[in-house]
Amino acid sequence: PKPNIDPTAVLIKAYACQRRTPLKHHNSFLTDALEILSQNAEYNDNEGRSVAFRRAASVLKALPYRVKNMEDLKSLPCLGDHSQRVIKEILEDGSSREVESTRQSDQFQAMKALTGIFGVGVRTADRWFREGLRSPDDLFRTGQQLNRAQQAGVQYYDDLQKPVTKAEADVISDIVEKAVRAVLPGAEIRLMGGFRRGKEVGHDVDFLITHPEEGKEEGLMPKITNWLEEQGLLLYQKTTRNSYLEKMDGPARAPNNMDRFERCFSIFKLQTGSERASVSGWRAVRVDLVVSPYSQFAFATLGWTGSKLFERELRRWAGQEKHMSLSSHALFDSKQNLYLRAKTEEEIFAYLGLEFIPPSERNA
Ligand code: DCP
Ligand code: MG
């Protein structure tokens, strides 16, 4: 659509957090393929390889033009030999044999189906795959031992496979707001994750909750879930307590992707309109609720907006380029040996020496 762009004149920075990545871009025919290989590497517990393919895909998402030939890629970062081979084959033949055989493979399809079950990670799925299991039906048939989350995951599998629409997310926002207002007036609620980045569908709905008076948010989650339970709105919930301690989680600790906020993994029972013509009148939707103390809210907001690669790249940038350690709780400056406080995402980008990237352009 933009024939006037000279690919050799486009400068793409090396870290995803230095670039703007819109939701819609020009190279899905390449990024879909690279992301299959990334996902496959993840299924094989090869994180380095998985991230390499994901970074390559992400660079192509940031391009303001559709890649036509290998010349277009000459000055781009993060494109390793393997990624380039795959891209070349797709440009020349229309598809990559490696990608297509991966996509069709028994292992890939089984791992996709099994890790697609709520509560099932790569390790468990891999063990089941080796035992000959391929699908949620197989688990049921062979009477596998399942924990409570996995039981819910199997029970609501079909619903949870269906993408959640923005309209459904908005209905759930209203419900969560009502619940939170009922149990803690003055609390603030933000829609996070993919929907904050402007996605039209998601695999779940993510919320971040805080209160301007620090301390008021303590013990909030059980009150929220009780309220929701009483209204018959929850099919499943598991709450984990806040376990963040600045002294222990800060500089002394290796950077950890998992945050320690009070958090609720849940499955909502969402009433569906009659126009949907659903037989039951409701569907199951995955909802994540996170409670943050006010002083950490900016960090939590940044950490829960994503995308996952964008988050990963922010932390890598902080560590490698700035000698800082970033989490969803705080930013620690190792050179000055102090925590940097922030009230807004803009301040955090500034501390990191990065241009502010709005949520809609964090789709790395
Ligand atoms: N996140 C994180 N650490 C976790 C879980 C999530 O940093 N352990 C962040 C990155 C994600 C955001 O929170 O962008 C929400 O996680 P999701 O898995 O829900 O991802 P998205 O909302 O981006 O995508 P989807 O549409 O699949 O829900
Ligand atoms: Mg999400």
Side-chain angles (χ1 to χ4, degrees), residues 9-292:
V10 174
L11 183 72
I12 300 289
K13 300 262 180 67
Y15 288 80
C17 54
Q18 296 176 288
R19 322 186 279 258
R20 292 173 179 268
T21 312
L23 192 56
K24 293 193 177 117
H25 59 86
H26 309 278
N27 293 293
S28 307
F29 73 114
L30 297 173
T31 60
D32 289 352
L34 293 169
E35 284 176 347
I36 293 277
L37 298 182
S38 169
Q39 195 158 47
N40 192 240
E42 204 177 306
Y43 293 157
N44 287 292
D45 200 24
N46 192 337
E47 197 186 352
R49 193 179 162 96
S50 173
V51 176
F53 283 127
R54 207 163 286 277
R55 283 205 194 110
S58 182
V59 161
L60 303 182
K61 293 180 189 177
L63 296 179
Y65 55 87
R66 182 181 165 100
V67 175
K68 295 262 162 44
N69 51 58
M70 294 306 281
E71 285 292 289
D72 291 352
L73 306 175
K74 246 170 49 191
S75 57
L76 299 181
C78 306
L79 296 179
D81 290 344
H82 199 152
S83 292
Q84 293 201 36
R85 266 201 324 274
V86 171
I87 294 167
K88 186 160 185 278
E89 205 181 332
I90 295 172
L91 289 174
E92 287 171 359
D93 307 339
S95 67
S96 144
R97 278 161 303 172
E98 184 185 2
V99 172
E100 294 319 311
S101 70
T102 300
R103 215 196 288 266
Q104 317 281 301
S105 79
D106 187 32
Q107 188 204 16
F108 184 81
Q109 293 195 358
M111 288 298 285
K112 197 173 155 121
L114 294 171
T115 58
I117 303 169
F118 172 63
V120 178
V122 166
R123 214 170 299 164
T124 304
D126 186 59
R127 177 164 50 81
W128 285 338
F129 175 72
R130 287 167 205 259
E131 289 170 12
L133 306 173
R134 298 290 178 268
S135 70
D137 279 346
D138 292 345
L139 300 182
F140 190 72
R141 215 172 25 76
T142 57
Q144 291 296 310
Q145 281 284 348
L146 303 176
N147 63 32
R148 206 167 61 85
Q150 294 163 346
Q151 283 171 29
V154 171
Q155 186 174 357
Y156 303 115
Y157 186 77
D158 291 340
D159 268 4
L160 299 185
Q161 287 300 300
K162 288 183 222 146
V164 184
T165 65
K166 179 65 168 63
E168 289 170 327
D170 288 339
V171 172
I172 292 171
S173 290
D174 289 344
I175 294 170
V176 171
E177 260 176 49
K178 211 170 153 198
V180 174
R181 245 184 287 126
V183 299
L184 182 64
E188 291 174 18
I189 301 126
R190 246 185 217 172
L191 181 60
M192 306 302 301
F195 289 114
R196 182 162 189 249
R197 302 196 307 276
K199 280 178 69 174
E200 280 144 35
V201 295
H203 98 282
D204 68 358
V205 194
D206 309 289
F207 294 96
L208 185 58
I209 303 159
T210 192
H211 192 285
E213 250 178 87
E214 185 118 354
K216 284 253 172 152
E217 82 292 344
E218 275 175 36
L220 177 57
M221 196 72 84
K223 291 180 196 156
I224 299 172
T225 53
N226 280 343
W227 191 94
L228 292 166
E229 249 6 309
E230 279 166 18
Q231 309 280 318
L233 293 166
L234 289 184
L235 297 165
Y236 169 90
Q237 72 93 6
K238 185 183 164 72
T239 298
T240 54
R241 290 196 332 232
N242 183 330
S243 61
Y244 178 73
L245 287 169
E246 200 166 79
K247 276 197 203 82
M248 293 175 64
D249 287 84
R253 225 185 164 90
N256 188 340
N257 302 355
M258 279 305 284
D259 60 57
R260 294 161 169 271
F261 291 116
E262 186 175 39
R263 176 170 179 180
C264 177
F265 300 88
S266 75
I267 301 176
F268 269 48
K269 181 174 181 175
L270 180 68
Q271 298 302 319
T272 50
S274 52
E275 77 275 8
R276 246 167 219 295
S278 72
V279 182
S280 56
W282 59 270
R283 68 161 290 190
V285 180
R286 275 273 299 115
V287 176
D288 272 0
L289 304 173
V290 180
V291 172
S292 155

